[in-house]
Amino acid sequence: MSEHLKIADKVFSSRLMVGTGKHRSNTEMVDSIAASGAQIVTVAIRRLNLDNPKEKNILDFFDWEKYTILPNTAGCKTSEEAIFVANLARELTGSNWLKLEVIPDASHLMPDPVGTYEAAKHLIKDGFIVLPYIHADPVLAQMLEQIGCATVMPLGSGIGSGQGIQTLEEINLIIQQASVPVVVDAGLATPSDAAIAMEIGADAVLVNTAIAQANEPVLMGEAFKLGVLAGRKSFMAGRIQKKSMASPSSPNQGIVSS
């Protein structure tokens, strides 16, 4: 098992991806992401103000030789919108990497499986490296892998909900059948959530709100870095088997009797 994460033709030492939304200031955003050790940073292209080229946007606050930019299609309700924004992102950033999101209903923010599949199929044919955000659906995950997606990104729980991983059994099935990296995305609230995802064999996690909205985002960024590292090391070490009854940790032989 490799200590490094490989997606498409790129290799990363960090298995934590981070988002750029919901930060209270650009300084907190930059500093917390630096503390997290993340190398892949997602940016919602549709939410950038591109009308005024003289005005700074999120893209201007990072050294993109240090980070890999992962444009995303957040805010797109249909596959057609996602395809349009994907092409805009490639033109703007020069990157063909894309986190694909198709979310038709803002009241629950659940991804559209059909729209995601149709958009992914089109974008892959058009040369994009597609990382699709999906519900924890093992059937859909396998279909997306079969058409050439570089990863699958099942949700742990609703975006920004902080409910942790509510889809553990489904994610387990996705991990067991996948031959591309599985990235647990959305709903993670604490480093222990990230550790759980990594312990069951996820290849990476993506975190935004839990860091951005923490009381101390820089400290939380570092905490998630450590949670991911601990979970990965635990997975590689191999946990003990669960038993129905207690088992003494000390040997029974040679016990001193009165």
Side-chain angles (χ1 to χ4, degrees):
M1 289 183 287
S2 174
E3 291 187 16
H4 292 89
L5 170 66
K6 184 176 182 182
I7 299 175
D9 60 347
K10 292 188 178 183
V11 177
F12 305 92
S13 57
S14 172
R15 292 176 177 271
L16 173 61
M17 305 179 186
V18 291
T20 51
K22 296 186 178 179
H23 286 274
R24 289 180 286 262
S25 73
N26 289 318
T27 298
E28 279 192 350
M29 173 184 69
V30 172
D31 291 348
S32 64
I33 289 173
S36 76
Q39 295 169 298
I40 300 175
V41 178
T42 69
V43 176
I45 296 299
R46 193 164 188 174
R47 290 169 183 157
L48 298 179
N49 182 8
L50 304 176
D51 294 332
N52 184 0
K54 294 182 179 179
E55 180 182 328
K56 272 193 169 186
N57 60 51
I58 289 174
L59 297 176
D60 297 313
F61 287 91
F62 293 97
D63 177 359
W64 293 113
E65 292 192 2
K66 180 179 177 183
Y67 297 103
T68 291
I69 185 172
L70 180 59
N72 69 53
T73 60
C76 293
K77 296 183 177 181
T78 66
S79 58
E80 291 79 12
E81 286 182 359
I83 292 166
F84 173 80
V85 171
N87 282 286
L88 176 63
R90 183 162 61 180
E91 184 176 338
L92 181 65
T93 67
S95 173
N96 65 338
W97 281 48
L98 184 78
K99 182 190 174 191
L100 175 61
E101 298 182 28
V102 181
I103 299 175
D105 192 334
S107 67
H108 55 63
L109 297 178
M110 288 291 142
D112 172 4
V114 177
T116 300
Y117 180 83
E118 292 301 324
K121 188 164 59 173
H122 178 97
L123 291 166
I124 289 164
K125 288 180 181 178
D126 199 21
F128 282 89
I129 305 296
V130 178
L131 290 71
Y133 169 66
I134 60 171
H135 205 292
D137 180 344
V139 176
L140 177 61
Q142 196 163 52
M143 291 171 64
L144 289 166
E145 179 180 338
Q146 288 169 350
I147 63 172
C149 286
T151 69
V152 288
M153 304 180 72
L155 58 83
S157 54
I159 291 174
S161 69
Q163 294 180 18
I165 302 178
Q166 302 292 317
T167 55
L168 198 61
E169 291 184 8
E170 293 85 353
I171 290 173
N172 243 322
L173 289 172
I174 292 171
I175 291 168
Q176 289 170 22
Q177 71 185 16
S179 57
V180 295
V182 177
V183 183
V184 178
D185 178 15
L188 278 65
T190 62
S192 59
D193 293 331
I196 288 169
M198 301 305 294
E199 283 175 352
I200 66 170
D203 296 278
V205 298
L206 194 154
V207 180
N208 186 178
T209 306
I211 294 175
Q213 291 292 295
N215 291 337
E216 298 288 344
V218 176
L219 190 59
M220 188 62 84
E222 183 181 8
F224 265 97
K225 173 184 177 180
L226 297 173
V228 169
L229 284 170
R232 178 63 180 176
K233 286 181 182 294
S234 173
F235 173 70
M236 293 179 73
R239 64 157 290 152
I240 62 170
Q241 295 298 313
K242 292 182 179 180
K243 297 179 180 179
S244 59
M245 297 184 68
S247 175
S249 56
S250 300
N252 291 323
Q253 295 80 16
I255 296 177
V256 177
S257 59
S258 57

